[in-house]
Amino acid sequence: MLLGILSGKEDFTDALLEEINGRNIAGLTAELCRIGPTIHHQPSRYRVILDRISHWIEYYRAYLKNAALTGTYVINNPFWFSADDKFFNYSLAAEIGVAVPRTVCLPSQCYDEEVTDEDLRNLDLPLRWEEITQFVGFPAILKPYNGYGWRDVYKVNTMDELLLAYEESAEQVMVLQEYIDFEHYVRAFVVGRQHVLPIKYDPFERSYIIDHRHLSDELGLRVVEDCLKLNHALGYDFNTVELAIRDGIPYAIDFMNPVPECKPEVITPEYFQWVVDRLASVMIDFALEGATIPCTLGSAPRPRPHAHNPVSPHPLQPLPRS
């Protein structure tokens, strides 16, 4: 039984391959995927694939969709990965009872020269900025509705700053969002929709802080429950969730990160090893239990979590070896 990893050069996937193969499970091997031309409806040779790069290499996404259709379990689901966006995620979070900032999706500021006024006749223009900002308030965050890596993110304090930032956004679809003046910030790794590691995080310095007791038991359990709710609803098996905590309420800020950065010098060696151990176990479990994903948007059948891996707000315990 073959497990595959689809990635560029990174220490994380090298460590993951070493961890999986080091467990010496009879009949199971992991390797970097080797992919040539893909014949339609031809099954992949891999039982499970971890996808770390198809958002950059378009051909890989085509391969992964065909592989998923023919029985391979892909982390993360390539059908949902292709369709997801941050604004939908905020609506979904509100639907399932997770707190989110007040958010408005805005049409693009400008369009390609081939787009005519007639093409835009369904838009209610000009935008009623006073109504929008009364709902969201200042300060606010303006950011792409499907962006990654804090690119093109603006904090705006006045109407003039907002209009200037919106002008610079050009053809991008943007969301305007209430700024949560937080007293605590968490970035949580979620693996297999079973394991949650809530880490104290500085979003301004983009740095992880080792502190195993940074959340009270009550708040820690709510953070863990919200992370699990979101990832079950989205169908992500490997993701991070960012939460800004204000007045004891965790607001979900960003939870569309299905290719989270996993450099040991960034997430710290201790948390790096936690992620490697849990993801290796999840990939092995999916392979041995014959997990499959549907080829439509929705929740996949899930293997049962192991009783010896309980979810905890302070989950840095040794992982039992297979």
Side-chain angles (χ1 to χ4, degrees):
M1 192 178 303
L2 199 55
L3 280 63
I5 294 178
L6 195 61
S7 75
K9 176 62 178 174
E10 55 175 347
D11 292 340
F12 171 65
T13 50
D14 292 346
L16 186 58
L17 285 171
E18 183 178 351
E19 177 65 30
I20 293 171
N21 290 326
R23 296 190 185 185
N24 296 315
I25 298 173
L28 188 146
T29 305
E31 68 175 28
L32 290 174
C33 291
R34 300 293 297 175
I35 297 171
T38 303
I39 298 173
H40 80 281
H41 205 247
Q42 182 179 60
S44 166
R45 56 198 291 257
Y46 299 102
R47 175 80 278 278
V48 175
I49 294 177
L50 173 67
D51 169 27
R52 298 277 296 167
I53 200 170
S54 74
H55 59 297
W56 287 116
I57 310 298
E58 190 172 4
Y59 170 67
Y60 292 156
R61 188 64 57 85
Y63 170 84
L64 290 170
K65 288 179 181 178
N66 186 75
L69 177 68
T70 54
T72 297
Y73 196 98
V74 180
I75 302 173
N76 283 298
N77 184 334
F79 298 98
W80 179 240
F81 198 166
S82 301
D84 199 12
D85 70 73
K86 291 181 184 294
F87 180 69
F88 172 78
N89 286 0
Y90 294 123
S91 296
L92 177 65
E95 178 73 16
I96 62 177
V98 174
V100 292
R102 295 187 297 271
T103 304
V104 176
C105 191
L106 303 171
S108 301
Q109 191 275 333
C110 64
Y111 297 86
D112 183 271
E113 61 184 11
E114 294 183 4
V115 176
T116 67
D117 289 343
E118 286 76 15
D119 296 324
L120 302 177
R121 65 179 184 172
N122 298 102
L123 286 178
D124 186 5
L125 297 173
L127 297 179
R128 295 189 289 272
W129 287 110
E130 290 294 338
E131 293 180 16
I132 293 168
T133 55
Q134 282 179 10
F135 173 70
V136 173
F138 285 113
I141 299 295
L142 183 72
K143 60 186 178 182
Y145 92 119
N146 61 352
Y148 290 92
W150 292 75
R151 288 187 291 272
D152 300 320
V153 176
Y154 307 85
K155 183 181 178 184
V156 293
N157 297 287
T158 66
M159 183 70 80
D160 287 343
E161 290 180 7
L162 169 59
L163 294 178
L164 178 60
Y166 181 65
E167 181 80 19
E168 292 178 356
S169 70
E171 296 181 17
Q172 296 185 89
V173 176
M174 306 293 281
V175 294
L176 185 67
Q177 186 171 76
E178 172 192 11
Y179 175 74
I180 302 297
D181 190 12
F182 57 88
E183 63 258 14
H184 193 72
Y185 203 94
V186 173
R187 197 168 204 248
F189 280 89
V190 186
V191 182
R193 292 179 255 176
Q194 304 171 36
H195 310 289
V196 180
L197 176 61
I199 306 173
K200 187 175 182 180
Y201 188 71
D202 184 338
F204 303 114
E205 297 294 330
R206 299 179 68 184
S207 63
Y208 295 82
I209 302 164
I210 292 181
D211 181 352
H212 300 168
R213 304 293 303 182
H214 65 100
L215 296 170
S216 67
D217 287 347
E218 181 180 2
L219 183 55
L221 286 173
R222 176 163 177 183
V223 165
V224 167
E225 288 170 358
D226 284 356
C227 288
L228 291 174
K229 279 183 187 177
L230 289 168
N231 284 276
H232 274 284
L234 292 168
Y236 284 144
D237 290 301
F238 190 34
N239 193 18
T240 57
V241 177
E242 293 186 20
L243 303 114
I245 299 168
R246 182 181 67 188
D247 299 329
I249 299 173
Y251 290 87
I253 301 298
D254 184 9
F255 39 101
M256 190 185 86
N257 192 15
V259 187
E261 184 178 36
C262 293
K263 297 176 181 177
E265 65 271 23
V266 174
I267 69 173
T268 78
E270 185 170 4
Y271 295 145
F272 175 84
Q273 193 57 51
W274 186 97
V275 175
V276 168
D277 287 346
R278 267 58 179 186
L279 188 55
S281 290
V282 164
M283 291 180 67
I284 291 167
D285 287 348
F286 287 174
L288 297 179
E289 297 186 27
T292 59
I293 62 175
C295 297
T296 57
L297 302 185
S299 298
R302 307 296 316 121
R304 293 188 303 275
H306 293 302
H308 60 244
N309 284 331
V311 169
S312 164
H314 313 293
L316 284 174
Q317 305 102 0
L319 183 75
R321 297 286 176 171
S322 300

